[in-house]
């Protein structure tokens, strides 16, 4: 038996609307404008990356993502 924990993505847009999504393999967040995205990545309550300013980010699991 294998237990897989999905990734949970919470995104707040510029209008402060929050979107929640679950993923098994990967989550990708890309900017939609010419401005850079400001991102943070947490695992539970532990910050993995506190502030990342970039074009986007791809977070994957070992569940078969390439």
């Amino acid at each position: 038996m294998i237990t897989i924990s999905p990734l949970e993505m919470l995104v707040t847009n510029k209008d402060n609307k929050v979107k929640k999504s679950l993923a098994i393999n990967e989550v990708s967040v890309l900017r939609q404008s010419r401005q850079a995205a400001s991102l943070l990545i947490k695992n539970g309550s532990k910050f993995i990356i506190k502030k990342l300013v970039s074009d986007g980010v791809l977070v994957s699991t070992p569940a078969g993502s390439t």
Side-chain angles (χ1 to χ4, degrees), residues 30-59:
L30 305 172
R31 64 179 171 80
Q32 295 294 312
S33 68
R34 295 181 185 258
Q35 297 178 344
S38 180
L39 308 165
L40 67 86
I41 300 174
K42 287 183 8 177
N43 183 6
S45 61
K46 181 181 177 184
F47 283 94
I48 305 300
I49 298 175
K50 289 186 180 179
K51 185 167 185 175
L52 174 67
V53 178
S54 67
D55 289 340
V57 67
L58 174 71
V59 178

